[in-house]
Amino acid sequence: MAQFKLKRLLVPEKHDPATAEVLWQNEVHANRLTAIVMFCCSVFLILCMILTAVGVFVENPKTVYTSCTAALAWHLIPCIISYRYKFAKPWLKYILLLGLLIGQARIDCGLGYNVTLAILLPVVFSTRYYSAELTITVAAVSTVVFSTSTYLGALTGFTPADLNIVSIGVSHATVDYARRIMQHTFLPKWMLFAIISGVCAEIAGRGHYMVQRQANISQENSRIETELNTARAIQMHSLPEVEEFVKDRDVPFDLATSIVPAKEVGGDFFNYFYVDPTHLALLIADVSGKGVPAALYMMIAKLLLDSIGSTGKSPAHVLAEVNHLLCDKNLEEMFVTVWLGVLDLTSGEIITANAGHENPIICRADGTLEEITTKHGLVLGGIDGAHYRDEVLKLQPGDMLFVYTDGIPEANNPLEEMYGVERLKAALTAAEKTPTALVNAVSEDVARFVGVAPQFDDSTMLTLRLNRLLEREGLRVYPSQESIKEVQTYVESRMEEAGVPMKAVSKINIGLDEMYSNVVHHSNASWAEIICDADAEQVTVILRDNGIPFDPLNIPEPDVTLSADERHVGGLGIFMTKKMMNELTYRYVDGCNEVRMVLKYNESEANK
Amino acid sequence: MIIEKKIINKTLEIALTGRLDTVTAPDLESELTASIDGIEHLVMDFTKLEYISSAGLRVLLSAQKMMNEQGSMEVCHVNDSIREVFDITGFTDVLTIK
């Protein structure tokens, strides 16, 4: 039983807001219940008077009328007051219980034997307030009030004689008679009352504890819900947004995506990012299971796929490497199915690798569908050392690629039928051939099929339409020491074709030597791309690499006034290039360093 | 790049043909290291040199530093492109250009 503290009656126990709210609502309900019961008692009291008047009750009418009328007032007035305040005042319970107590005592006073149970009523109702303190207090007050009422009733002759105990009439009421009533009637009744009061106090205390616990649980639940909502926001923000992705970019493709998690957080994800300016990586994945475990695993898998995927390695290599990392300490036996493709925007070729994921579908420009059924590798996180194979697909301008997770074909309707790949293909065939229309059409078709059946799996789609091919403009090399000659030759031949004057050729050669040797020696890049564009007025050389971000314009200029012995050559090359070029700019874009050199010359020189 | 060396008494003459850049500078450096012992006068003939990049400047600078200790060094027949590089980088003041 909860610890009894009388002062809690005056100073309410401090509760957290949620518990206090639940307890307060309960108190309002209890007030209402007590008031209703008191109102019912009032009705019965009137009924008693009527039954006495018509002779059904043979009690002394005068006693009945006086007792009932007084009790009626004690019952009705608190009812009306509590109704007036809509049962919602903290002090109402005292008024109600006191009214009930005194009202019942007043009946007890006149009709003691007829209403033996009256003494219990206030205590029983006090339990409804879930406060052991209140119940015990009411029990104590009941003891005082009812002993007084019984005694006074006996003394004044209201209480009729119990013929088993005394054989005297009403007019013989004396102090001695009252003492005997107290001793033989009230005392045994009170003993029973004390036991019942104890039980009531225990019930009230227990009720209080239960309410508190329930409030804690619901508070915990709402905390979890808030956390899940935040987790969902984090998860959703980890996925790219098409609009933001294509913003300020001239992209030769359209993209559309859709993701619907079955729970707050899910295990499905997709991504698309530039590996370099002409290669777009696309991936879609589905983690086993759902909810929080899947979501945690998803974030790990996504991070690994993104970081290893952006190194420029082939999809099969990326999957093998990520698989190896996921297998390490994968105690929960989770796994993820992944389809990864790298689209060469200059040729339309997609190198793909599949780790146990659904077959992608290509919607050709002429309307035919092709399901790509190349052999799959094992899911990632399954067995360390699993092998994956690169397959090459080819997209022509106008072709669309559609990849999805199993939530689409495995969506079930109320008859437990599955949506299936055939229905998916039919929807794809019927849809208008833009990525957004395709995704919307499939979403709507699945929703129509599913109807009211609850879905248990996340469903995700990613669609790309290749609109045109990018022109490959430059030379792409592995930045080795040996490549320097190749790059020089390439740039020189481009300048020769355009008839760039000798002096400008030398300058460009110097600039190229400075910038490209930096890439070779310091960038750690796995590729470099050189674009040279020359016309009658200027030469533009763009140098890109996927190495460590390095802004050559951001290094301090050397002091060119020092003597030979004090001199260092560090930074001199970049300084020279800066001085010789008309424009030298640097930016880091799509994971690549990009240096752009522009050299202008006047026409007379160009004609030399 | 072609490196032509001529040693007369304690004078070393080096004539360069082609480009002195990242690719070729290490060759010049090793040629110099091999022949510079006991040399009191170093002449670099740039008549047939097309251009020079900072990698080449590095070699010229280290040669100049060595010759400061054991004699003198001069660079001759410098074309416009190379002259511009020397001007930009302040090498005009460091080297003896004829």
Side-chain angles (χ1 to χ4, degrees), chain A residues 23-40:
Chain A
L23 284 171
W24 171 242
Q25 279 176 10
N26 175 66
E27 188 172 318
V28 174
H29 276 123
N31 282 344
R32 189 192 302 267
L33 178 70
T34 311
I36 289 172
V37 168
M38 286 167 77
F39 182 76
C40 292

Side-chain angles (χ1 to χ4, degrees), chain A residues 481 484 488 492 503 506-507 509-510 513-514 517 521 560 562 564-565 567-569 572-573 575-576 579-580, chain B residues 19 21-23 50-55 57-58 61 64-65 68 80-81 84-85 88-91 93-94:
Chain A
Q481 182 70 31
I484 298 179
Q488 273 179 356
E492 260 174 71
K503 221 175 147 182
S506 285
K507 283 185 178 176
N509 274 334
I510 293 170
D513 190 65
E514 305 299 352
S517 60
H521 295 125
V560 294
L562 297 175
D565 291 330
R567 279 292 194 108
H568 303 282
V569 186
L572 207 51
F575 173 73
M576 274 163 58
K579 289 282 175 197
M580 285 189 293
Chain B
R19 305 144 176 205
D21 58 15
T22 320
V23 179
E50 289 172 34
Y51 65 79
I52 184 167
S53 80
S54 66
L57 293 179
R58 185 189 297 273
L61 184 63
Q64 182 67 60
K65 282 181 185 174
N68 280 352
D80 284 354
S81 284
E84 194 181 340
V85 169
I88 291 171
T89 56
F91 268 57
D93 302 333
V94 173

Side-chain angles (χ1 to χ4, degrees), chain A residues 269 284-289 297 301 305 315-316 318-328 330 332-340 353-358 375-389 406:
Chain A
F269 63 99
I284 188 159
D286 182 0
V287 172
S288 57
Y297 198 79
L305 283 164
V318 173
L319 294 189
E321 206 165 313
V322 173
N323 178 55
H324 170 68
L325 292 169
L326 283 178
C327 283
D328 190 31
N330 182 12
E332 302 308 315
E333 302 299 329
M334 302 278 289
F335 61 83
V336 56
T337 71
V338 181
W339 177 89
L340 173 64
N354 194 329
H357 197 80
E358 308 293 308
K375 199 165 171 277
H376 295 184
L378 192 70
V379 294
L380 302 190
I383 293 174
D384 196 5
H387 284 286
Y388 301 92
R389 243 197 333 208
D406 60 4

Side-chain angles (χ1 to χ4, degrees), chain A residues 85-97:
Chain A
Y85 290 104
K86 297 195 163 43
F87 314 102
K89 288 284 173 203
W91 42 264
L92 276 176
K93 57 178 179 288
Y94 301 119
I95 291 190
L96 284 164
L97 288 172

